[in-house]
Amino acid sequence: MTRLRPALLGLALALAPAAALAQSAPAPLIALSCAGCHGPAGAGEGSVPRIAGYDREAFVQSWAAFRANERPASIMNRIARGFTDAEVAELAAYFAALR
Amino acid sequence: MTRLSRRAFALAAGTAGLSLAAPGVLHAQSTGRLVVIGGGFGGASAARYARIAFPRLDVTLIEPKATFVTCPYGNLLLAGERTLPQITHSYDGLKARGVRVVQDWADGIDATAKTVRLRGGQTVPYDKLILSPGIAIRWNAIEGYNEAAAEALPHAWVPGAGEQTTLLRRQLEALPDGGVVGFAIPPNPFRCPPGPYERISMVASYLKKHKPRAKIIALDAKDAFSKQGLFQDAWNELYPGMIEWVPLNKDGRVTKVDAREKVFETELGTRHKVDVGNVIPPQSAAKIAIDAGLTNETGWVPVNPLTFESVRARDIHVFGDANIGQVMPKSGYIANSTSKVAVAAAAAALEGRPAPGPTVYFNTCYSHVGDEYGISVVGVFRPTETGFAETPNSGGVSPRGPLAQQREQRRLEALYADAWYASITKDAFS
């Protein structure tokens, strides 16, 4: 039992950052408005897709496609045009890190 | 005036605080007392976000009602497509997160002593006050439109416990086929710019199905309105001949009502007899904001656009419909979006950190105009030195065009509207 402890402790430490991020670390302010449609912490709601855990690179590419009207959209094309590349990168990093 | 009650003194000195704090709220290392007034989209979102992002803050929500009925989706109730329980939200989710919910009226704010006086006699001290009290109706701004008149000609614009919205619904149900439904619509600014026109659409949808010979007359104190082209296209296509919209320049401004006779009288003296009348009256910031001296000559609250702190009182952050958000609309989405910036700024100040940097404020507003028919307006805003500015080349309304071409867009937006409602109410109340 005692010999297992270091291994368990290591596991706990490895899990802690992701768990903490998902539950309590303040999200960047820029990401908080997304909750209005995509649900708290980007969990998705009804017909609006989940964006928590969205691959970072794919997020950036999707955003660019929305912005260029190259991806079918109802409202995201209008939203995408209002954000800078740096802001999109911040959003992508945050949602990719959510579980 | 600034003398604290014995209760308040005890609270401030920390001797009576224990009995008031909810379990789980009290932290030896509490970084401050955040008191939120108003449990609508703004205040509830603020309280929830504060508990998640700043768990060492003590968070108290002061709200007189036990549950919150949303203005959004009230128009669907009028059409018979939602019930009151479906648009009613409890504060249980916030309580479970450790928000201390005090069910009472906040009657006054002492910005010097940093206390809130409750109608029940209690005094609540704060380190930072989050004020999201919404609107007040300017009674008698339209001659004859007072609280008694609202029992005959409902406003249904402040949901309360849903009485006004259900009253209007009952009146619509009792309307004879061939009857006239009148709307009086105020000048800008007011809560929910597309709201009156969504309401006209939803009432038309109901009438088309159940009282197809009925008519709608919409008397407007403006010459233009939110999503105007989209709404008017839809009215022509879905409800041809049913809706007459009368703008300001055609004598549309209602200046007087007769609640007994159900007559709307306009500026030039034209009298419009209606069978059901909905008066959406001119509005101001809620009374508590006015009483606290936070409003200016406009009747709304000027704020620092980076922090939402009142320019007239330190440590009081005001957002949602009560503030001067121009060019941002008075919407639930903006209240939710900006609540978090205000809380983050308040928390940073309490924890000795600089205010968070400029961010993006964001609005999405859907309107239902018919079955499987939704439209929207989107806005991306940023703080400026003097207020807020729309981000160039962004946002805007749904594409126009005949239903035959736009059917899928309209259907999707109606679906997304429902998802939006579920999402934002979760982000505020869960």
Side-chain angles (χ1 to χ4, degrees):
Chain A
M1 190 64 194
T2 48
R3 288 180 59 193
L4 280 174
R5 272 196 184 141
L8 283 173
L9 183 63
L11 181 66
L13 285 173
L15 288 174
L21 187 65
Q23 286 168 14
S24 62
L29 281 179
I30 191 177
L32 294 168
S33 296
C34 305
C37 292
H38 287 276
E45 185 63 54
S47 49
V48 175
R50 176 184 176 86
I51 49 173
Y54 205 103
D55 178 78
R56 186 172 175 157
E57 200 48 46
F59 189 103
V60 172
Q61 282 173 11
S62 297
W63 197 284
F66 280 133
R67 189 191 276 157
N69 265 333
E70 288 168 356
R71 181 184 164 124
S74 60
I75 73 163
M76 265 311 291
N77 50 345
R78 288 176 263 156
I79 295 163
R81 292 197 296 269
F83 289 76
T84 66
D85 288 344
E87 289 165 349
V88 175
E90 192 180 356
L91 290 171
Y94 169 67
F95 286 111
L98 284 180
R99 293 292 170 262
Chain B
M1 187 63 193
T2 53
R3 257 183 61 202
L4 293 181
S5 66
R6 204 163 58 171
R7 178 77 167 158
F9 180 80
L11 268 175
T15 53
L18 283 170
S19 61
L20 283 168
V25 176
L26 207 63
H27 301 274
Q29 75 282 34
S30 166
T31 47
R33 294 162 301 188
L34 192 75
V35 172
V36 182
I37 297 179
F41 281 99
S45 299
R48 182 180 181 278
Y49 170 67
R51 288 299 302 148
I52 292 170
F54 306 101
R56 287 165 64 195
L57 284 178
D58 287 342
V59 182
T60 300
L61 174 66
I62 300 168
E63 163 58 48
K65 298 188 300 296
T67 56
F68 182 74
V69 177
T70 61
C71 268
Y73 276 61
N75 290 332
L76 278 79
L77 188 151
L78 296 178
E81 293 175 15
R82 291 290 187 283
T83 62
L84 191 58
Q86 287 172 328
I87 61 166
T88 302
H89 302 268
S90 87
Y91 296 105
D92 292 348
L94 296 180
K95 289 174 188 167
R97 288 186 182 277
V99 176
R100 183 167 75 102
V101 179
V102 176
Q103 195 187 333
D104 202 345
W105 283 93
D107 261 353
I109 298 164
D110 185 333
T112 308
K114 295 173 79 167
T115 56
V116 179
R117 189 179 68 252
L118 303 184
R119 191 164 296 177
Q122 201 183 78
T123 303
V124 180
Y126 64 83
D127 296 306
K128 290 281 183 183
L129 184 63
I130 298 289
L131 184 59
S132 186
I135 60 162
I137 283 172
R138 289 174 50 213
W139 298 112
N140 295 308
I142 294 173
E143 189 182 338
Y145 198 67
N146 52 30
E147 280 167 285
E151 296 304 314
L153 301 169
H155 55 76
W157 215 245
V158 181
E163 310 91 335
Q164 279 275 305
T165 314
T166 48
L167 171 61
L168 184 54
R169 169 66 187 167
R170 285 199 307 274
Q171 292 181 344
L172 289 168
E173 286 174 311
L175 179 81
D177 195 7
V180 175
V181 182
F183 293 92
I185 305 171
N188 292 323
F190 63 98
R191 161 183 280 173
C192 191
Y197 312 97
E198 181 191 62
R199 177 169 289 180
I200 290 166
S201 308
M202 285 291 90
V203 170
S205 173
Y206 168 70
L207 296 178
K208 183 181 175 181
K209 289 171 195 162
H210 301 283
K211 317 189 181 215
R213 293 189 301 116
K215 298 281 183 214
I216 291 172
I217 182 163
L219 300 164
D220 205 329
K222 304 182 289 305
D223 285 325
F225 59 85
S226 175
K227 308 180 207 170
Q228 182 169 353
L230 288 161
F231 274 117
Q232 290 182 323
D233 289 350
W235 295 347
N236 290 333
E237 206 158 20
L238 301 179
Y239 317 114
M242 182 179 271
I243 300 166
E244 182 190 359
W245 175 68
V246 185
L248 174 67
N249 65 25
K250 298 266 174 62
D251 193 27
R253 190 164 81 92
V254 173
T255 52
K256 186 177 177 181
V257 298
D258 182 331
R260 185 189 296 268
E261 298 296 327
K262 294 201 172 175
V263 170
F264 290 174
E265 190 173 321
T266 55
E267 216 159 7
L268 300 183
T270 312
R271 289 167 62 84
H272 299 269
K273 175 85 176 84
V274 300
D275 297 294
V276 171
N278 172 213
V279 179
I280 303 167
Q283 299 151 30
S284 67
K287 184 171 181 297
I288 188 163
I290 298 171
D291 290 350
L294 302 177
T295 51
N296 67 12
E297 68 286 352
T298 65
W300 306 94
V301 178
V303 294
N304 175 331
L306 288 170
T307 61
F308 292 88
E309 189 170 28
S310 161
V311 301
R312 299 194 161 197
R314 286 187 60 97
D315 300 317
I316 303 179
H317 298 255
V318 189
F319 53 86
D321 295 344
N323 76 8
I324 299 173
Q326 287 173 337
V327 295
M328 299 192 295
K330 298 187 186 303
S331 74
Y333 207 116
I334 285 292
N336 169 273
S337 165
T338 55
S339 73
K340 297 156 184 175
V341 180
V343 167
L350 286 173
E351 293 171 0
R353 291 179 283 110
T359 186
V360 182
Y361 306 123
F362 180 70
N363 183 57
T364 298
C365 170
Y366 290 101
S367 304
H368 285 281
V369 291
D371 293 340
E372 298 196 327
Y373 195 125
I375 57 175
S376 64
V377 59
V378 172
V380 183
F381 307 93
R382 289 162 200 273
T384 69
E385 281 182 16
T386 52
F388 306 93
E390 193 146 16
T391 305
N393 191 35
S394 71
V397 298
S398 311
R400 285 178 73 175
L403 183 56
Q405 283 170 23
Q406 299 290 350
R407 194 175 298 276
E408 184 59 8
Q409 171 91 18
R410 306 287 185 249
R411 191 186 70 83
L412 277 177
E413 293 208 40
L415 271 178
Y416 291 162
D418 294 347
W420 163 82
Y421 185 82
S423 289
I424 200 161
T425 51
K426 259 189 196 168
D427 201 50
F429 300 102
S430 75

PDB file of all heavy atoms in Angstrom, chain B residues 22 26 55 108 123 131 134 167 193 198 202 213 234 237 269 300 315 321 335 364 392-394 427-428:
ATOM      1  N   ALA B  22     -23.591  31.607   4.214  1.00  0.00           N
ATOM      2  CA  ALA B  22     -23.953  30.244   3.847  1.00  0.00           C
ATOM      3  C   ALA B  22     -22.752  29.333   4.053  1.00  0.00           C
ATOM      4  O   ALA B  22     -21.621  29.770   3.934  1.00  0.00           O
ATOM      5  CB  ALA B  22     -24.394  30.197   2.396  1.00  0.00           C
ATOM      6  N   LEU B  26     -17.869  30.943   3.655  1.00  0.00           N
ATOM      7  CA  LEU B  26     -16.961  31.598   4.581  1.00  0.00           C
ATOM      8  C   LEU B  26     -15.557  31.021   4.444  1.00  0.00           C
ATOM      9  O   LEU B  26     -15.340  29.826   4.528  1.00  0.00           O
ATOM     10  CB  LEU B  26     -17.479  31.355   6.001  1.00  0.00           C
ATOM     11  CG  LEU B  26     -17.093  32.416   7.012  1.00  0.00           C
ATOM     12  CD1 LEU B  26     -17.707  33.753   6.626  1.00  0.00           C
ATOM     13  CD2 LEU B  26     -17.563  31.992   8.380  1.00  0.00           C
ATOM     14  N   PRO B  55     -12.967  31.993  -6.170  1.00  0.00           N
ATOM     15  CA  PRO B  55     -13.638  31.250  -5.088  1.00  0.00           C
ATOM     16  C   PRO B  55     -13.377  31.804  -3.697  1.00  0.00           C
ATOM     17  O   PRO B  55     -14.080  31.424  -2.762  1.00  0.00           O
ATOM     18  CB  PRO B  55     -13.083  29.823  -5.251  1.00  0.00           C
ATOM     19  CG  PRO B  55     -11.866  29.944  -6.099  1.00  0.00           C
ATOM     20  CD  PRO B  55     -12.054  31.156  -6.954  1.00  0.00           C
ATOM     21  N   GLY B 108     -31.724  50.878  -0.627  1.00  0.00           N
ATOM     22  CA  GLY B 108     -30.833  52.029  -0.723  1.00  0.00           C
ATOM     23  C   GLY B 108     -29.381  51.612  -0.626  1.00  0.00           C
ATOM     24  O   GLY B 108     -29.056  50.544  -0.101  1.00  0.00           O
ATOM     25  N   THR B 123     -28.927  45.525   7.089  1.00  0.00           N
ATOM     26  CA  THR B 123     -27.952  46.311   6.342  1.00  0.00           C
ATOM     27  C   THR B 123     -26.807  45.386   5.953  1.00  0.00           C
ATOM     28  O   THR B 123     -26.269  44.682   6.803  1.00  0.00           O
ATOM     29  CB  THR B 123     -27.429  47.488   7.187  1.00  0.00           C
ATOM     30  OG1 THR B 123     -28.549  48.272   7.597  1.00  0.00           O
ATOM     31  CG2 THR B 123     -26.482  48.358   6.384  1.00  0.00           C
ATOM     32  N   LEU B 131     -23.957  46.031  -9.359  1.00  0.00           N
ATOM     33  CA  LEU B 131     -25.337  46.515  -9.453  1.00  0.00           C
ATOM     34  C   LEU B 131     -25.877  46.244 -10.851  1.00  0.00           C
ATOM     35  O   LEU B 131     -25.397  46.807 -11.831  1.00  0.00           O
ATOM     36  CB  LEU B 131     -25.354  48.009  -9.122  1.00  0.00           C
ATOM     37  CG  LEU B 131     -26.708  48.710  -9.073  1.00  0.00           C
ATOM     38  CD1 LEU B 131     -27.620  48.080  -8.035  1.00  0.00           C
ATOM     39  CD2 LEU B 131     -26.519  50.193  -8.767  1.00  0.00           C
ATOM     40  N   GLY B 134     -31.456  46.387 -13.727  1.00  0.00           N
ATOM     41  CA  GLY B 134     -32.381  46.465 -14.858  1.00  0.00           C
ATOM     42  C   GLY B 134     -33.040  47.821 -14.976  1.00  0.00           C
ATOM     43  O   GLY B 134     -32.493  48.838 -14.568  1.00  0.00           O
ATOM     44  N   LEU B 167     -51.136  38.013 -18.371  1.00  0.00           N
ATOM     45  CA  LEU B 167     -52.317  38.858 -18.578  1.00  0.00           C
ATOM     46  C   LEU B 167     -52.477  39.162 -20.073  1.00  0.00           C
ATOM     47  O   LEU B 167     -53.586  39.038 -20.632  1.00  0.00           O
ATOM     48  CB  LEU B 167     -52.170  40.169 -17.775  1.00  0.00           C
ATOM     49  CG  LEU B 167     -53.215  41.255 -18.045  1.00  0.00           C
ATOM     50  CD1 LEU B 167     -54.620  40.783 -17.716  1.00  0.00           C
ATOM     51  CD2 LEU B 167     -52.885  42.541 -17.259  1.00  0.00           C
ATOM     52  N   PRO B 193     -33.887  46.040 -28.034  1.00  0.00           N
ATOM     53  CA  PRO B 193     -34.330  46.782 -29.221  1.00  0.00           C
ATOM     54  C   PRO B 193     -35.204  45.991 -30.205  1.00  0.00           C
ATOM     55  O   PRO B 193     -36.165  46.547 -30.739  1.00  0.00           O
ATOM     56  CB  PRO B 193     -33.011  47.230 -29.872  1.00  0.00           C
ATOM     57  CG  PRO B 193     -32.030  47.264 -28.738  1.00  0.00           C
ATOM     58  CD  PRO B 193     -32.441  46.169 -27.791  1.00  0.00           C
ATOM     59  N   GLU B 198     -40.260  41.353 -32.425  1.00  0.00           N
ATOM     60  CA  GLU B 198     -40.444  39.912 -32.228  1.00  0.00           C
ATOM     61  C   GLU B 198     -41.838  39.659 -31.650  1.00  0.00           C
ATOM     62  O   GLU B 198     -42.531  38.715 -32.036  1.00  0.00           O
ATOM     63  CB  GLU B 198     -39.385  39.330 -31.286  1.00  0.00           C
ATOM     64  CG  GLU B 198     -39.557  37.819 -31.104  1.00  0.00           C
ATOM     65  CD  GLU B 198     -38.714  37.212 -30.002  1.00  0.00           C
ATOM     66  OE1 GLU B 198     -38.918  37.615 -28.823  1.00  0.00           O
ATOM     67  OE2 GLU B 198     -37.849  36.367 -30.292  1.00  0.00           O
ATOM     68  N   MET B 202     -44.695  37.272 -33.124  1.00  0.00           N
ATOM     69  CA  MET B 202     -45.229  36.103 -32.411  1.00  0.00           C
ATOM     70  C   MET B 202     -46.735  36.221 -32.200  1.00  0.00           C
ATOM     71  O   MET B 202     -47.462  35.225 -32.261  1.00  0.00           O
ATOM     72  CB  MET B 202     -44.507  35.941 -31.066  1.00  0.00           C
ATOM     73  CG  MET B 202     -43.097  35.394 -31.171  1.00  0.00           C
ATOM     74  SD  MET B 202     -43.047  33.648 -31.697  1.00  0.00           S
ATOM     75  CE  MET B 202     -42.956  33.814 -33.448  1.00  0.00           C
ATOM     76  N   ARG B 213     -58.699  36.787 -39.019  1.00  0.00           N
ATOM     77  CA  ARG B 213     -59.227  38.083 -39.478  1.00  0.00           C
ATOM     78  C   ARG B 213     -58.799  39.236 -38.564  1.00  0.00           C
ATOM     79  O   ARG B 213     -59.140  40.387 -38.812  1.00  0.00           O
ATOM     80  CB  ARG B 213     -60.757  38.022 -39.587  1.00  0.00           C
ATOM     81  CG  ARG B 213     -61.236  37.055 -40.707  1.00  0.00           C
ATOM     82  CD  ARG B 213     -62.736  37.171 -40.952  1.00  0.00           C
ATOM     83  NE  ARG B 213     -63.524  36.873 -39.750  1.00  0.00           N
ATOM     84  CZ  ARG B 213     -64.305  37.747 -39.127  1.00  0.00           C
ATOM     85  NH1 ARG B 213     -64.429  38.977 -39.581  1.00  0.00           N
ATOM     86  NH2 ARG B 213     -64.969  37.397 -38.036  1.00  0.00           N
ATOM     87  N   ALA B 234     -40.405  39.470 -43.447  1.00  0.00           N
ATOM     88  CA  ALA B 234     -41.128  38.317 -42.878  1.00  0.00           C
ATOM     89  C   ALA B 234     -42.614  38.627 -42.721  1.00  0.00           C
ATOM     90  O   ALA B 234     -43.462  37.772 -43.001  1.00  0.00           O
ATOM     91  CB  ALA B 234     -40.520  37.942 -41.530  1.00  0.00           C
ATOM     92  N   GLU B 237     -44.314  38.364 -45.986  1.00  0.00           N
ATOM     93  CA  GLU B 237     -44.365  37.011 -46.529  1.00  0.00           C
ATOM     94  C   GLU B 237     -45.240  36.075 -45.681  1.00  0.00           C
ATOM     95  O   GLU B 237     -45.979  35.257 -46.210  1.00  0.00           O
ATOM     96  CB  GLU B 237     -42.947  36.450 -46.627  1.00  0.00           C
ATOM     97  CG  GLU B 237     -42.811  35.391 -47.689  1.00  0.00           C
ATOM     98  CD  GLU B 237     -41.375  35.198 -48.162  1.00  0.00           C
ATOM     99  OE1 GLU B 237     -40.437  35.589 -47.439  1.00  0.00           O
ATOM    100  OE2 GLU B 237     -41.193  34.647 -49.239  1.00  0.00           O
ATOM    101  N   GLY B 269     -52.994  63.772 -32.268  1.00  0.00           N
ATOM    102  CA  GLY B 269     -54.361  63.649 -31.771  1.00  0.00           C
ATOM    103  C   GLY B 269     -55.180  62.535 -32.408  1.00  0.00           C
ATOM    104  O   GLY B 269     -56.383  62.431 -32.152  1.00  0.00           O
ATOM    105  N   TRP B 300     -29.934  57.028 -17.320  1.00  0.00           N
ATOM    106  CA  TRP B 300     -29.160  55.791 -17.301  1.00  0.00           C
ATOM    107  C   TRP B 300     -27.816  56.049 -16.629  1.00  0.00           C
ATOM    108  O   TRP B 300     -27.448  57.198 -16.391  1.00  0.00           O
ATOM    109  CB  TRP B 300     -28.975  55.262 -18.724  1.00  0.00           C
ATOM    110  CG  TRP B 300     -30.265  55.100 -19.472  1.00  0.00           C
ATOM    111  CD1 TRP B 300     -30.836  56.016 -20.313  1.00  0.00           C
ATOM    112  CD2 TRP B 300     -31.187  53.992 -19.416  1.00  0.00           C
ATOM    113  NE1 TRP B 300     -32.038  55.532 -20.801  1.00  0.00           N
ATOM    114  CE2 TRP B 300     -32.273  54.302 -20.276  1.00  0.00           C
ATOM    115  CE3 TRP B 300     -31.188  52.778 -18.743  1.00  0.00           C
ATOM    116  CZ2 TRP B 300     -33.357  53.441 -20.457  1.00  0.00           C
ATOM    117  CZ3 TRP B 300     -32.266  51.908 -18.935  1.00  0.00           C
ATOM    118  CH2 TRP B 300     -33.341  52.240 -19.785  1.00  0.00           C
ATOM    119  N   ASP B 315     -16.276  51.784  -6.367  1.00  0.00           N
ATOM    120  CA  ASP B 315     -16.576  50.438  -5.862  1.00  0.00           C
ATOM    121  C   ASP B 315     -17.998  49.971  -6.155  1.00  0.00           C
ATOM    122  O   ASP B 315     -18.479  49.016  -5.537  1.00  0.00           O
ATOM    123  CB  ASP B 315     -16.303  50.349  -4.347  1.00  0.00           C
ATOM    124  CG  ASP B 315     -14.850  50.652  -4.025  1.00  0.00           C
ATOM    125  OD1 ASP B 315     -13.971  50.148  -4.759  1.00  0.00           O
ATOM    126  OD2 ASP B 315     -14.595  51.418  -3.075  1.00  0.00           O
ATOM    127  N   ASP B 321     -29.004  46.314 -18.341  1.00  0.00           N
ATOM    128  CA  ASP B 321     -29.859  47.319 -18.967  1.00  0.00           C
ATOM    129  C   ASP B 321     -29.758  48.693 -18.317  1.00  0.00           C
ATOM    130  O   ASP B 321     -30.113  49.695 -18.941  1.00  0.00           O
ATOM    131  CB  ASP B 321     -31.329  46.861 -18.912  1.00  0.00           C
ATOM    132  CG  ASP B 321     -31.576  45.608 -19.735  1.00  0.00           C
ATOM    133  OD1 ASP B 321     -30.713  45.267 -20.571  1.00  0.00           O
ATOM    134  OD2 ASP B 321     -32.634  44.982 -19.549  1.00  0.00           O
ATOM    135  N   ALA B 335     -25.658  41.819 -20.988  1.00  0.00           N
ATOM    136  CA  ALA B 335     -25.603  41.787 -19.523  1.00  0.00           C
ATOM    137  C   ALA B 335     -24.721  40.634 -19.055  1.00  0.00           C
ATOM    138  O   ALA B 335     -23.886  40.778 -18.154  1.00  0.00           O
ATOM    139  CB  ALA B 335     -27.015  41.652 -18.946  1.00  0.00           C
ATOM    140  N   THR B 364     -25.218  38.522 -29.189  1.00  0.00           N
ATOM    141  CA  THR B 364     -26.005  37.817 -30.190  1.00  0.00           C
ATOM    142  C   THR B 364     -27.456  37.934 -29.773  1.00  0.00           C
ATOM    143  O   THR B 364     -27.791  37.681 -28.612  1.00  0.00           O
ATOM    144  CB  THR B 364     -25.632  36.321 -30.256  1.00  0.00           C
ATOM    145  OG1 THR B 364     -24.267  36.210 -30.630  1.00  0.00           O
ATOM    146  CG2 THR B 364     -26.484  35.605 -31.292  1.00  0.00           C
ATOM    147  N   PRO B 392     -15.141  47.439 -36.431  1.00  0.00           N
ATOM    148  CA  PRO B 392     -15.440  47.620 -37.850  1.00  0.00           C
ATOM    149  C   PRO B 392     -15.489  46.300 -38.614  1.00  0.00           C
ATOM    150  O   PRO B 392     -14.782  45.346 -38.278  1.00  0.00           O
ATOM    151  CB  PRO B 392     -14.270  48.491 -38.348  1.00  0.00           C
ATOM    152  CG  PRO B 392     -13.752  49.174 -37.133  1.00  0.00           C
ATOM    153  CD  PRO B 392     -13.975  48.212 -35.996  1.00  0.00           C
ATOM    154  N   ASN B 393     -16.321  46.277 -39.631  1.00  0.00           N
ATOM    155  CA  ASN B 393     -16.412  45.142 -40.550  1.00  0.00           C
ATOM    156  C   ASN B 393     -16.803  43.837 -39.853  1.00  0.00           C
ATOM    157  O   ASN B 393     -16.370  42.757 -40.248  1.00  0.00           O
ATOM    158  CB  ASN B 393     -15.069  44.958 -41.291  1.00  0.00           C
ATOM    159  CG  ASN B 393     -15.210  43.964 -42.438  1.00  0.00           C
ATOM    160  OD1 ASN B 393     -16.252  43.899 -43.081  1.00  0.00           O
ATOM    161  ND2 ASN B 393     -14.177  43.161 -42.665  1.00  0.00           N
ATOM    162  N   SER B 394     -17.592  43.935 -38.805  1.00  0.00           N
ATOM    163  CA  SER B 394     -18.013  42.708 -38.119  1.00  0.00           C
ATOM    164  C   SER B 394     -19.492  42.821 -37.761  1.00  0.00           C
ATOM    165  O   SER B 394     -20.085  43.889 -37.871  1.00  0.00           O
ATOM    166  CB  SER B 394     -17.197  42.494 -36.839  1.00  0.00           C
ATOM    167  OG  SER B 394     -17.575  43.453 -35.872  1.00  0.00           O
ATOM    168  N   ASP B 427     -25.681  29.572 -18.045  1.00  0.00           N
ATOM    169  CA  ASP B 427     -24.517  30.377 -17.668  1.00  0.00           C
ATOM    170  C   ASP B 427     -24.868  31.411 -16.593  1.00  0.00           C
ATOM    171  O   ASP B 427     -23.985  31.977 -15.956  1.00  0.00           O
ATOM    172  CB  ASP B 427     -23.932  31.070 -18.902  1.00  0.00           C
ATOM    173  CG  ASP B 427     -22.481  31.477 -18.694  1.00  0.00           C
ATOM    174  OD1 ASP B 427     -21.688  30.627 -18.253  1.00  0.00           O
ATOM    175  OD2 ASP B 427     -22.148  32.654 -18.938  1.00  0.00           O
ATOM    176  N   ALA B 428     -26.151  31.655 -16.417  1.00  0.00           N
ATOM    177  CA  ALA B 428     -26.566  32.593 -15.384  1.00  0.00           C
ATOM    178  C   ALA B 428     -27.045  31.896 -14.114  1.00  0.00           C
ATOM    179  O   ALA B 428     -26.755  32.347 -13.013  1.00  0.00           O
ATOM    180  CB  ALA B 428     -27.681  33.498 -15.915  1.00  0.00           C
TER     181      ALA B 428
END
